[in-house]
Amino acid sequence: MSVISLETRYGSFFKRQSFSDLITALDYIQVEEHGWRQVQQWITQFGLSKARLFFIGNGGSAAIASHMAIDFMKAGGFATFGPGDAAHFSCLSNDWGFEHVYAEHIKKHGQLGDVLFAISSSGMSENILRAVDRSIDCKMNVVTLSGFGQGNFLRGRGGVNFYVPSQQYGTVEISHLAILHSILDEAIANEKLALEDK
């Protein structure tokens, strides 16, 4: 069976618009000056120890939150909290309301020095916004990842805020995943360099 390349089938000018949109979004991610470095300082507690990390989101963003909670734990050696399983999630939603599902979890477990990664493509999800507010009450450090409208309510709510300038779900979600992987990769590289210096 022969494989026909895309170039052969469509010509050398074949291009997927979604890939171009993603490249543009990644090139124009907006974050506070020194935001990348600040996140590294928070997750390593300024080089003293690894912080506990909370990842939250809804739908596709919940999948990203679960994915990154696992990766930061497995590859980075961090203690992490993800969205939880269906039974846990539905229990809290039923008892307290969906808008409180993450805030109540953080109320029980969040503490000074922990880091919350709040992921929302729209930046308008009530349960994410309430969780951010609760995290701030608990003296946690908050990192937000949002997209869509520049005036979304999540953007600007954290100590560090990543904003992806796109209206496309796929572009925003993949950009959020890339941002989080970049943070993890940098943390692993920094740890390796620190060990080599000892």
Side-chain angles (χ1 to χ4, degrees):
M1 176 176 152
S2 62
V3 177
I4 301 173
S5 72
L6 291 177
E7 184 171 334
T8 301
R9 182 174 291 175
Y10 296 105
S12 60
F13 297 105
F14 176 79
K15 185 163 104 173
R16 297 200 69 85
Q17 185 61 44
S18 61
F19 291 175
S20 298
D21 293 344
L22 178 59
I23 291 166
T24 301
L26 290 170
D27 281 342
Y28 290 96
I29 289 168
Q30 297 172 26
V31 64
E32 292 82 3
E33 187 176 5
H34 309 302
W36 293 95
R37 184 177 56 154
Q38 181 69 75
V39 173
Q40 289 298 323
Q41 291 174 336
W42 285 346
I43 67 174
T44 62
Q45 297 188 344
F46 296 88
L48 299 175
S49 64
K50 292 179 179 178
R52 301 190 314 161
L53 311 179
F54 292 69
F55 296 86
I56 63 171
N58 297 311
S61 296
I64 293 168
S66 290
H67 178 151
M68 295 314 304
I70 292 167
D71 281 5
F72 270 83
M73 179 194 67
K74 184 177 175 186
F78 290 87
T80 63
F81 297 83
D85 64 18
H88 173 255
F89 206 73
S90 60
C91 170
L92 298 183
S93 297
N94 183 65
D95 291 353
W96 293 317
F98 188 70
E99 67 274 19
H100 299 287
V101 67
Y102 288 124
E104 288 297 323
H105 185 75
I106 288 166
K107 178 181 177 182
K108 302 278 193 247
H109 299 287
Q111 58 190 12
L112 176 68
D114 291 345
V115 180
L116 173 71
F117 288 92
I119 310 164
S120 172
S121 292
S122 70
M124 301 297 283
S125 300
E126 183 66 23
N127 62 344
I128 303 298
L129 297 171
R130 286 177 184 263
V132 167
D133 291 343
R134 177 65 71 184
S135 298
I136 293 168
D137 291 343
C138 293
K139 310 299 184 192
M140 294 171 63
N141 294 308
V142 177
V143 181
T144 73
L145 298 96
S146 67
F148 293 8
Q150 290 191 24
N152 76 66
F153 293 166
L154 185 60
R155 185 184 184 198
R157 206 121 167 188
V160 174
N161 304 278
F162 291 94
Y163 170 72
V164 179
S166 174
Q167 299 292 322
Q168 300 298 319
Y169 264 111
T171 299
V172 174
E173 289 174 345
I174 293 169
S175 297
H176 287 168
L177 195 60
I179 290 165
L180 292 166
H181 269 295
S182 178
I183 291 167
L184 174 57
D185 290 346
E186 184 178 355
I188 292 169
N190 289 344
E191 183 176 29
K192 185 177 179 182
L193 284 173
L195 291 172
E196 289 173 355
D197 289 342
K198 287 186 177 179

